[in-house]
Coordinates of all heavy atoms in Angstrom, one line a residue:
M1 N -4.1 -22.9 -4.7 CA -3.1 -22.0 -4.2 C -3.8 -20.9 -3.4 O -4.8 -20.3 -3.9 CB -2.3 -21.4 -5.4 CG -1.3 -20.4 -5.0 SD -0.4 -19.9 -6.5 CE 1.2 -19.6 -5.7
A2 N -3.3 -20.5 -2.3 CA -3.9 -19.5 -1.4 C -3.6 -18.1 -2.0 O -2.5 -17.8 -2.5 CB -3.3 -19.6 0.0
K3 N -4.6 -17.3 -1.9 CA -4.5 -15.9 -2.4 C -3.8 -15.1 -1.3 O -4.1 -15.2 -0.1 CB -5.9 -15.4 -2.7 CG -5.8 -14.0 -3.3 CD -7.1 -13.4 -3.7 CE -8.4 -14.0 -3.5 NZ -9.6 -13.2 -3.8
V4 N -2.9 -14.2 -1.7 CA -2.2 -13.3 -0.8 C -3.2 -12.2 -0.4 O -3.9 -11.6 -1.3 CB -1.0 -12.6 -1.5 CG1 -0.4 -11.6 -0.6 CG2 0.0 -13.7 -2.0
P5 N -3.4 -12.0 0.9 CA -4.4 -11.0 1.4 C -4.1 -9.6 0.8 O -2.9 -9.2 0.7 CB -4.2 -11.0 2.9 CG -3.6 -12.3 3.2 CD -2.7 -12.6 2.0
A6 N -5.2 -8.9 0.6 CA -5.0 -7.5 0.0 C -4.2 -6.6 1.0 O -3.5 -5.7 0.6 CB -6.4 -6.9 -0.2
A7 N -4.3 -6.9 2.3 CA -3.6 -6.1 3.3 C -2.1 -6.2 3.0 O -1.3 -5.2 3.1 CB -3.9 -6.4 4.7
V8 N -1.6 -7.4 2.7 CA -0.2 -7.7 2.5 C 0.2 -7.0 1.1 O 1.3 -6.5 1.0 CB 0.0 -9.2 2.5 CG1 1.5 -9.5 2.1 CG2 -0.3 -9.8 3.9
I9 N -0.7 -7.2 0.1 CA -0.3 -6.6 -1.2 C -0.2 -5.1 -1.1 O 0.7 -4.5 -1.6 CB -1.4 -7.0 -2.2 CG1 -1.3 -8.5 -2.5 CG2 -1.2 -6.2 -3.5 CD1 -2.5 -9.0 -3.3
A10 N -1.1 -4.4 -0.4 CA -1.1 -3.0 -0.2 C 0.1 -2.6 0.6 O 0.9 -1.6 0.1 CB -2.4 -2.5 0.5
A11 N 0.4 -3.2 1.7 CA 1.6 -2.8 2.4 C 2.9 -3.1 1.6 O 3.8 -2.3 1.6 CB 1.7 -3.6 3.7
G12 N 2.9 -4.2 0.9 CA 4.0 -4.5 0.1 C 4.2 -3.6 -1.1 O 5.3 -3.3 -1.5
G13 N 3.1 -3.1 -1.6 CA 3.2 -2.0 -2.7 C 3.8 -0.7 -2.2 O 4.6 -0.1 -2.9
L14 N 3.5 -0.3 -1.0 CA 4.0 0.9 -0.5 C 5.5 0.7 -0.2 O 6.3 1.6 -0.5 CB 3.3 1.3 0.8 CG 1.9 1.9 0.5 CD1 1.0 1.9 1.8 CD2 2.0 3.3 -0.1
I15 N 5.8 -0.4 0.5 CA 7.2 -0.6 0.8 C 8.0 -0.9 -0.4 O 9.1 -0.4 -0.6 CB 7.3 -1.8 1.8 CG1 6.6 -1.4 3.2 CG2 8.8 -2.2 2.0 CD1 6.4 -2.6 4.1
G16 N 7.5 -1.8 -1.3 CA 8.3 -2.2 -2.5 C 8.4 -1.0 -3.4 O 9.5 -0.9 -4.1
G17 N 7.4 -0.2 -3.5 CA 7.4 1.0 -4.4 C 8.6 1.9 -4.0 O 9.4 2.4 -4.9
Y18 N 8.7 2.1 -2.7 CA 9.7 3.0 -2.2 C 11.1 2.4 -2.5 O 12.0 3.0 -2.9 CB 9.5 3.4 -0.8 CG 10.7 4.2 -0.2 CD1 10.9 5.5 -0.7 CD2 11.6 3.6 0.7 CE1 12.0 6.2 -0.2 CE2 12.7 4.3 1.1 CZ 12.9 5.6 0.7 OH 14.0 6.3 1.2
G19 N 11.2 1.1 -2.1 CA 12.4 0.4 -2.3 C 12.9 0.3 -3.7 O 14.1 0.6 -4.0
V20 N 12.0 0.1 -4.6 CA 12.4 0.1 -6.1 C 12.9 1.5 -6.5 O 13.9 1.6 -7.1 CB 11.2 -0.4 -6.9 CG1 11.5 -0.1 -8.4 CG2 10.9 -1.8 -6.7
A21 N 12.1 2.5 -6.1 CA 12.6 3.9 -6.4 C 13.9 4.2 -5.9 O 14.8 4.8 -6.5 CB 11.5 4.9 -6.0
R22 N 14.1 3.9 -4.6 CA 15.3 4.2 -3.9 C 16.5 3.5 -4.5 O 17.6 4.1 -4.8 CB 15.2 3.9 -2.5 CG 16.4 4.3 -1.7 CD 16.3 4.1 -0.2 NE 17.5 4.3 0.4 CZ 17.6 5.1 1.6 NH1 16.6 5.6 2.1 NH2 18.8 5.2 2.1
W23 N 16.4 2.2 -4.7 CA 17.5 1.4 -5.1 C 17.9 1.4 -6.6 O 19.0 1.3 -7.0 CB 17.4 -0.1 -4.6 CG 17.6 -0.1 -3.1 CD1 18.5 0.4 -2.4 CD2 16.7 -0.7 -2.2 NE1 18.3 0.2 -1.1 CE2 17.2 -0.5 -0.9 CE3 15.5 -1.5 -2.3 CZ2 16.6 -1.0 0.3 CZ3 14.9 -1.9 -1.1 CH2 15.5 -1.7 0.1
T24 N 16.8 1.8 -7.4 CA 17.1 1.9 -8.9 C 17.4 3.3 -9.2 O 17.9 3.7 -10.3 CB 16.0 1.5 -9.7 OG1 14.9 2.2 -9.5 CG2 15.7 0.0 -9.5
K25 N 17.1 4.3 -8.3 CA 17.1 5.7 -8.5 C 16.3 6.2 -9.7 O 16.6 7.1 -10.4 CB 18.6 6.2 -8.8 CG 19.5 5.9 -7.5 CD 20.9 6.4 -7.6 CE 21.8 6.2 -6.6 NZ 21.5 5.6 -5.4
R26 N 15.2 5.4 -9.9 CA 14.3 5.7 -10.9 C 12.8 5.7 -10.3 O 12.2 4.7 -10.1 CB 14.3 4.7 -12.1 CG 15.7 4.6 -12.8 CD 15.6 3.8 -14.0 NE 17.0 3.5 -14.5 CZ 17.7 4.2 -15.2 NH1 17.3 5.4 -15.5 NH2 18.9 3.9 -15.6
R27 N 12.4 7.0 -10.0 CA 11.1 7.1 -9.4 C 10.0 6.5 -10.1 O 9.0 6.0 -9.6 CB 10.9 8.6 -9.0 CG 11.9 9.1 -7.9 CD 11.7 10.5 -7.7 NE 10.4 10.7 -6.8 CZ 10.0 11.8 -6.3 NH1 10.7 12.9 -6.6 NH2 8.9 11.9 -5.7
P28 N 10.0 6.7 -11.5 CA 8.9 6.0 -12.3 C 8.8 4.6 -12.1 O 7.6 4.0 -12.0 CB 9.2 6.4 -13.7 CG 10.0 7.6 -13.7 CD 10.8 7.4 -12.4
L29 N 9.9 3.8 -11.9 CA 9.8 2.4 -11.6 C 9.1 2.1 -10.3 O 8.3 1.2 -10.2 CB 11.2 1.8 -11.7 CG 11.8 1.6 -13.0 CD1 13.2 1.0 -12.9 CD2 11.0 0.7 -13.9
G30 N 9.5 2.9 -9.3 CA 8.8 2.8 -8.0 C 7.3 3.1 -8.1 O 6.5 2.4 -7.5
G31 N 7.0 4.1 -8.9 CA 5.6 4.4 -9.0 C 4.8 3.3 -9.7 O 3.7 3.0 -9.4
A32 N 5.5 2.7 -10.7 CA 4.9 1.5 -11.4 C 4.6 0.4 -10.4 O 3.5 -0.3 -10.5 CB 5.7 1.1 -12.6
A33 N 5.5 0.1 -9.6 CA 5.4 -1.0 -8.5 C 4.3 -0.6 -7.6 O 3.4 -1.5 -7.3 CB 6.7 -1.2 -7.8
L34 N 4.2 0.6 -7.1 CA 3.2 1.1 -6.3 C 1.8 1.0 -6.9 O 0.8 0.5 -6.3 CB 3.5 2.5 -5.9 CG 2.5 3.3 -5.0 CD1 2.8 2.9 -3.6 CD2 2.5 4.7 -5.2
A35 N 1.7 1.4 -8.2 CA 0.4 1.4 -8.9 C 0.0 0.0 -9.2 O -1.2 -0.3 -9.0 CB 0.5 2.1 -10.2
A36 N 0.9 -0.9 -9.6 CA 0.5 -2.3 -9.8 C -0.1 -3.0 -8.6 O -1.1 -3.6 -8.6 CB 1.7 -3.1 -10.4
A37 N 0.7 -2.8 -7.4 CA 0.2 -3.4 -6.2 C -1.2 -2.8 -5.8 O -2.0 -3.5 -5.3 CB 1.2 -3.2 -5.1
G38 N -1.3 -1.5 -6.0 CA -2.5 -0.8 -5.6 C -3.7 -1.4 -6.5 O -4.9 -1.5 -5.9
A39 N -3.5 -1.6 -7.7 CA -4.5 -2.1 -8.6 C -5.0 -3.5 -8.2 O -6.2 -3.8 -8.1 CB -4.1 -2.1 -10.1
V40 N -4.0 -4.3 -7.8 CA -4.3 -5.7 -7.4 C -5.1 -5.7 -6.1 O -6.1 -6.4 -5.9 CB -3.0 -6.6 -7.3 CG1 -3.3 -7.9 -6.6 CG2 -2.4 -6.8 -8.6
A41 N -4.6 -4.8 -5.1 CA -5.3 -4.7 -3.9 C -6.7 -4.2 -4.1 O -7.7 -4.7 -3.4 CB -4.5 -3.9 -2.9
A42 N -6.9 -3.2 -4.9 CA -8.2 -2.6 -5.1 C -9.2 -3.6 -5.7 O -10.3 -3.6 -5.3 CB -8.1 -1.4 -6.0
R43 N -8.7 -4.5 -6.6 CA -9.6 -5.5 -7.2 C -10.0 -6.4 -6.1 O -11.2 -6.9 -6.0 CB -8.8 -6.2 -8.3 CG -9.7 -7.3 -8.9 CD -9.0 -7.9 -10.1 NE -9.6 -9.1 -10.5 CZ -10.5 -9.2 -11.5 NH1 -10.9 -8.1 -12.0 NH2 -11.1 -10.3 -11.8
Q44 N -9.0 -6.9 -5.2 CA -9.4 -7.8 -4.1 C -10.4 -7.1 -3.1 O -11.3 -7.7 -2.6 CB -8.2 -8.2 -3.4 CG -7.4 -9.3 -4.2 CD -6.3 -10.0 -3.4 OE1 -6.4 -10.0 -2.1 NE2 -5.4 -10.6 -4.0
W45 N -10.1 -5.8 -2.8 CA -11.0 -5.1 -1.9 C -12.4 -5.0 -2.4 O -13.4 -5.2 -1.7 CB -10.5 -3.7 -1.6 CG -9.3 -3.6 -0.8 CD1 -8.9 -4.4 0.2 CD2 -8.2 -2.6 -0.9 NE1 -7.7 -4.0 0.7 CE2 -7.3 -2.9 0.0 CE3 -8.0 -1.6 -1.8 CZ2 -6.1 -2.2 0.2 CZ3 -6.8 -0.8 -1.6 CH2 -5.9 -1.1 -0.6
Q46 N -12.5 -4.8 -3.8 CA -13.9 -4.7 -4.4 C -14.6 -6.0 -4.3 O -15.7 -6.1 -4.0 CB -13.7 -4.3 -5.8 CG -15.0 -3.8 -6.5 CD -15.8 -4.9 -7.0 OE1 -15.3 -5.9 -7.5 NE2 -17.1 -4.8 -7.0
Q47 N -13.8 -7.1 -4.6 CA -14.4 -8.4 -4.6 C -14.8 -8.8 -3.1 O -15.8 -9.5 -2.9 CB -13.4 -9.5 -5.1 CG -13.2 -9.4 -6.6 CD -12.1 -10.3 -7.1 OE1 -11.3 -10.8 -6.3 NE2 -12.0 -10.5 -8.4
A48 N -14.0 -8.4 -2.1 CA -14.3 -8.9 -0.8 C -15.3 -8.0 -0.1 O -16.1 -8.5 0.7 CB -13.0 -8.8 0.0
A49 N -15.3 -6.7 -0.3 CA -16.1 -5.8 0.5 C -17.0 -4.9 -0.3 O -17.7 -4.0 0.3 CB -15.2 -5.1 1.5
G50 N -16.9 -4.9 -1.6 CA -17.8 -4.0 -2.4 C -17.0 -2.8 -2.9 O -15.9 -2.4 -2.5
T51 N -17.7 -2.1 -3.8 CA -17.1 -0.9 -4.4 C -16.8 0.2 -3.5 O -15.8 0.8 -3.6 CB -18.1 -0.5 -5.6 OG1 -18.2 -1.5 -6.5 CG2 -17.5 0.7 -6.3
K52 N -17.7 0.5 -2.6 CA -17.5 1.6 -1.6 C -16.3 1.4 -0.8 O -15.5 2.3 -0.6 CB -18.7 1.9 -0.8 CG -19.9 2.5 -1.5 CD -21.0 2.7 -0.4 CE -22.2 3.3 -1.2 NZ -23.3 3.7 -0.3
A53 N -16.2 0.2 -0.3 CA -14.9 -0.1 0.5 C -13.7 0.0 -0.3 O -12.7 0.5 0.1 CB -15.1 -1.5 1.1
A54 N -13.8 -0.5 -1.6 CA -12.6 -0.5 -2.4 C -12.2 0.9 -2.7 O -11.0 1.3 -2.7 CB -12.8 -1.2 -3.7
V55 N -13.2 1.8 -2.9 CA -12.9 3.2 -3.2 C -12.2 3.9 -1.9 O -11.2 4.6 -2.0 CB -14.1 4.0 -3.7 CG1 -13.8 5.5 -3.6 CG2 -14.6 3.5 -5.0
G56 N -12.8 3.6 -0.8 CA -12.2 4.1 0.4 C -10.8 3.7 0.7 O -10.0 4.4 1.1
L57 N -10.6 2.4 0.6 CA -9.3 1.8 0.9 C -8.3 2.3 -0.2 O -7.1 2.5 0.2 CB -9.4 0.3 1.0 CG -10.0 -0.3 2.2 CD1 -10.3 -1.7 2.0 CD2 -9.2 0.0 3.5
T58 N -8.7 2.4 -1.4 CA -7.8 2.9 -2.4 C -7.4 4.4 -2.1 O -6.3 4.8 -2.3 CB -8.4 2.8 -3.8 OG1 -8.7 1.4 -4.1 CG2 -7.5 3.3 -4.9
G59 N -8.4 5.1 -1.7 CA -8.1 6.5 -1.2 C -7.1 6.5 -0.1 O -6.2 7.4 0.0
A60 N -7.3 5.6 0.8 CA -6.3 5.5 2.0 C -5.0 5.1 1.5 O -4.0 5.7 2.0 CB -6.8 4.5 3.0
Y61 N -4.9 4.3 0.5 CA -3.6 3.9 -0.1 C -2.9 5.0 -0.7 O -1.7 5.3 -0.4 CB -3.9 2.8 -1.1 CG -2.7 2.1 -1.8 CD1 -1.9 1.2 -1.1 CD2 -2.3 2.4 -3.1 CE1 -0.8 0.5 -1.7 CE2 -1.2 1.8 -3.7 CZ -0.5 0.9 -3.0 OH 0.6 0.3 -3.6
V62 N -3.6 5.8 -1.5 CA -3.0 7.0 -2.2 C -2.7 8.0 -1.1 O -1.6 8.7 -1.2 CB -4.0 7.5 -3.2 CG1 -3.5 8.9 -3.8 CG2 -4.2 6.5 -4.3
A63 N -3.5 8.2 -0.1 CA -3.2 9.2 1.0 C -2.0 8.8 1.7 O -1.2 9.6 2.2 CB -4.4 9.4 1.9
A64 N -1.9 7.5 1.9 CA -0.7 7.0 2.7 C 0.6 7.3 1.9 O 1.6 7.8 2.5 CB -0.8 5.5 2.9
F65 N 0.6 7.1 0.6 CA 1.7 7.4 -0.2 C 2.0 8.9 -0.2 O 3.2 9.3 0.1 CB 1.4 7.0 -1.7 CG 2.4 7.6 -2.6 CD1 3.7 7.1 -2.7 CD2 2.0 8.6 -3.5 CE1 4.6 7.6 -3.7 CE2 2.9 9.1 -4.5 CZ 4.2 8.7 -4.5
A66 N 1.0 9.7 -0.3 CA 1.3 11.2 -0.3 C 1.7 11.6 1.2 O 2.6 12.5 1.3 CB 0.0 11.9 -0.7
G67 N 1.1 11.0 2.2 CA 1.4 11.5 3.5 C 2.8 11.0 4.0 O 3.4 11.5 4.9
S68 N 3.3 9.9 3.3 CA 4.6 9.4 3.8 C 5.7 10.5 3.5 O 6.7 10.5 4.2 CB 4.9 8.1 3.1 OG 5.1 8.3 1.7
H69 N 5.5 11.3 2.5 CA 6.6 12.3 2.2 C 6.8 13.3 3.2 O 7.9 13.5 3.7 CB 6.2 12.9 0.8 CG 6.3 12.0 -0.3 ND1 5.3 11.1 -0.6 CD2 7.3 11.7 -1.2 CE1 5.7 10.4 -1.7 NE2 6.9 10.7 -2.0
P70 N 5.8 14.0 3.7 CA 6.0 15.0 4.8 C 6.4 14.3 6.2 O 7.1 14.8 6.9 CB 4.7 15.8 5.0 CG 3.7 15.0 4.2 CD 4.4 14.2 3.2
L71 N 5.8 13.1 6.3 CA 6.2 12.3 7.6 C 7.6 12.0 7.6 O 8.3 11.9 8.6 CB 5.3 11.1 7.7 CG 5.5 10.2 8.9 CD1 5.2 11.0 10.2 CD2 4.6 9.0 8.8
A72 N 8.2 11.6 6.4 CA 9.6 11.2 6.3 C 10.5 12.3 6.7 O 11.6 12.1 7.2 CB 9.9 10.8 4.9
K73 N 10.1 13.6 6.5 CA 10.9 14.7 7.0 C 11.1 14.7 8.5 O 12.0 15.3 9.0 CB 10.4 16.0 6.4 CG 10.5 16.1 4.9 CD 10.0 17.4 4.4 CE 10.1 17.3 2.8 NZ 9.6 18.5 2.2
K74 N 10.1 14.2 9.2 CA 10.1 14.2 10.6 C 10.7 13.0 11.3 O 11.4 13.1 12.3 CB 8.7 14.4 11.1 CG 8.0 15.7 10.8 CD 6.6 15.8 11.3 CE 5.9 17.0 10.9 NZ 6.4 18.3 11.5
V75 N 10.5 11.8 10.7 CA 10.9 10.5 11.3 C 11.9 9.7 10.5 O 12.4 8.8 10.9 CB 9.7 9.6 11.7 CG1 8.8 10.3 12.7 CG2 8.9 9.2 10.4
G76 N 12.1 10.1 9.3 CA 13.0 9.4 8.3 C 12.2 8.6 7.3 O 11.0 8.4 7.5
A77 N 12.8 8.3 6.2 CA 12.1 7.7 5.1 C 11.6 6.3 5.4 O 10.4 6.0 5.2 CB 13.0 7.6 3.9
W78 N 12.4 5.4 5.9 CA 12.0 4.0 6.0 C 10.9 3.9 7.2 O 9.9 3.3 7.0 CB 13.1 3.1 6.3 CG 13.8 2.6 5.1 CD1 15.0 2.9 4.6 CD2 13.2 1.8 4.0 NE1 15.3 2.4 3.4 CE2 14.2 1.7 3.0 CE3 12.0 1.2 3.8 CZ2 13.9 1.0 1.8 CZ3 11.7 0.6 2.6 CH2 12.7 0.4 1.7
P79 N 11.1 4.6 8.3 CA 10.1 4.6 9.4 C 8.8 5.1 8.8 O 7.7 4.6 9.2 CB 10.7 5.5 10.5 CG 12.1 5.4 10.3 CD 12.4 5.3 8.8
S80 N 8.8 6.2 8.0 CA 7.6 6.7 7.4 C 6.9 5.7 6.6 O 5.7 5.5 6.7 CB 7.9 8.0 6.6 OG 6.8 8.4 5.9
V81 N 7.6 5.1 5.7 CA 7.1 4.1 4.7 C 6.5 2.9 5.6 O 5.4 2.4 5.3 CB 8.1 3.6 3.7 CG1 7.6 2.4 2.9 CG2 8.5 4.7 2.8
F82 N 7.2 2.4 6.5 CA 6.7 1.3 7.3 C 5.5 1.7 8.1 O 4.5 0.9 8.2 CB 7.8 0.7 8.2 CG 8.8 -0.1 7.5 CD1 10.2 0.2 7.7 CD2 8.5 -1.1 6.7 CE1 11.1 -0.6 7.1 CE2 9.4 -1.9 6.0 CZ 10.8 -1.6 6.2
G83 N 5.5 2.9 8.6 CA 4.3 3.4 9.4 C 3.0 3.4 8.5 O 2.0 3.0 8.9
V84 N 3.1 4.0 7.3 CA 2.0 4.2 6.5 C 1.5 2.8 5.9 O 0.3 2.6 5.7 CB 2.1 5.2 5.4 CG1 2.4 6.6 6.0 CG2 3.2 4.9 4.3
A85 N 2.5 1.9 5.6 CA 2.2 0.7 5.1 C 1.4 -0.2 6.2 O 0.5 -0.8 5.9 CB 3.5 -0.1 4.7
G86 N 1.9 0.0 7.4 CA 1.1 -0.7 8.5 C -0.2 -0.2 8.7 O -1.2 -1.0 9.0
T87 N -0.4 1.1 8.6 CA -1.7 1.7 8.8 C -2.7 1.2 7.6 O -3.8 0.9 7.9 CB -1.6 3.3 8.7 OG1 -0.7 3.7 9.8 CG2 -2.9 3.9 8.9
V88 N -2.2 1.2 6.4 CA -3.0 0.7 5.3 C -3.4 -0.7 5.5 O -4.6 -1.1 5.2 CB -2.4 1.0 4.0 CG1 -3.1 0.3 2.9 CG2 -2.4 2.6 3.7
A89 N -2.4 -1.5 5.9 CA -2.7 -3.0 6.1 C -3.7 -3.2 7.2 O -4.6 -3.9 7.1 CB -1.3 -3.7 6.4
L90 N -3.6 -2.4 8.3 CA -4.6 -2.5 9.4 C -6.0 -2.1 8.9 O -7.0 -2.8 9.2 CB -4.1 -1.6 10.6 CG -5.1 -1.8 11.8 CD1 -5.1 -3.2 12.3 CD2 -4.5 -0.8 12.9
A91 N -6.0 -1.0 8.1 CA -7.4 -0.6 7.6 C -7.9 -1.6 6.7 O -9.2 -2.0 6.7 CB -7.2 0.7 6.9
S92 N -7.1 -2.2 5.8 CA -7.6 -3.3 4.9 C -8.1 -4.5 5.7 O -9.2 -5.0 5.3 CB -6.4 -3.6 4.0 OG -6.8 -4.7 3.2
W93 N -7.4 -4.9 6.6 CA -7.8 -6.0 7.4 C -9.1 -5.8 8.1 O -10.0 -6.6 8.1 CB -6.7 -6.4 8.5 CG -7.2 -7.4 9.5 CD1 -7.2 -8.7 9.2 CD2 -7.7 -7.2 10.7 NE1 -7.8 -9.4 10.4 CE2 -8.1 -8.4 11.3 CE3 -7.9 -6.0 11.5 CZ2 -8.6 -8.5 12.5 CZ3 -8.5 -6.2 12.8 CH2 -8.8 -7.4 13.3
A94 N -9.2 -4.5 8.7 CA -10.4 -4.1 9.4 C -11.7 -4.2 8.5 O -12.7 -4.7 8.9 CB -10.3 -2.8 10.1
V95 N -11.5 -3.7 7.3 CA -12.6 -3.6 6.4 C -13.0 -5.0 5.8 O -14.1 -5.3 5.6 CB -12.3 -2.6 5.3 CG1 -13.4 -2.7 4.1 CG2 -12.3 -1.2 5.9
T96 N -12.0 -5.9 5.5 CA -12.2 -7.1 4.8 C -12.2 -8.4 5.7 O -12.4 -9.5 5.2 CB -11.2 -7.3 3.7 OG1 -9.9 -7.4 4.3 CG2 -11.2 -6.2 2.7
R97 N -12.0 -8.2 7.0 CA -11.8 -9.3 7.9 C -13.0 -10.3 7.9 O -12.8 -11.5 8.1 CB -11.4 -8.9 9.3 CG -12.6 -8.3 10.1 CD -12.2 -7.9 11.5 NE -13.3 -7.3 12.1 CZ -13.3 -6.0 12.5 NH1 -12.3 -5.2 12.2 NH2 -14.4 -5.5 13.1
N98 N -14.2 -9.9 7.7 CA -15.3 -10.8 7.7 C -15.6 -11.5 6.4 O -16.5 -12.2 6.2 CB -16.5 -10.0 8.2 CG -16.4 -9.6 9.7 OD1 -15.8 -10.4 10.4 ND2 -17.0 -8.5 10.0
S99 N -14.7 -11.1 5.4 CA -15.0 -11.7 4.0 C -14.1 -12.8 3.7 O -14.1 -13.3 2.6 CB -14.9 -10.6 3.0 OG -13.5 -10.1 3.0
G100 N -13.2 -13.2 4.6 CA -12.3 -14.2 4.3 C -11.0 -13.8 3.7 O -10.2 -14.6 3.2
Q101 N -10.8 -12.5 3.5 CA -9.6 -11.9 2.9 C -8.5 -12.0 3.8 O -8.1 -11.3 4.6 CB -9.9 -10.4 2.6 CG -10.4 -10.2 1.2 CD -9.4 -10.3 0.1 OE1 -8.3 -9.9 0.2 NE2 -9.8 -11.0 -0.9

């Protein structure tokens, strides 16, 4: 069975976390989805590119989550979430592209 790329997991975690929080009206559930996807992505980043890369990409993931909030005030919630998810996915791909991720 093919492994889902970390870039897809990270982007899905940001999008899914927001979606879960919005549609259930329970922010902790969205946070749980965000954290679970982040943990899976971080493990794959570490395996693919090493600890330093995993720490950097995990920091980018957390910064994207935090940065989506003020960005949403300017462009709207969904555009903000999709924008930061795409940015994290691109960063993940760039860091892990030579590892077969």
Side-chain angles (χ1 to χ4, degrees):
M1 179 175 211
K3 186 176 4 177
V4 177
V8 173
I9 293 169
L14 288 161
I15 295 166
Y18 175 68
V20 167
R22 180 174 175 136
W23 289 312
T24 65
K25 298 187 183 352
R26 299 190 194 280
R27 292 178 76 177
L29 286 178
L34 178 84
V40 172
R43 180 173 168 95
Q44 285 192 20
W45 289 326
Q46 195 278 328
Q47 291 172 345
T51 300
K52 286 183 183 181
V55 168
L57 288 167
T58 300
Y61 184 77
V62 172
F65 166 71
S68 69
H69 292 82
L71 182 60
K73 292 179 181 179
K74 295 182 187 287
V75 300
W78 280 113
S80 173
V81 170
F82 285 128
V84 300
T87 301
V88 169
L90 183 61
S92 175
W93 173 80
V95 171
T96 62
R97 71 178 177 248
N98 293 327
S99 68
Q101 268 286 317

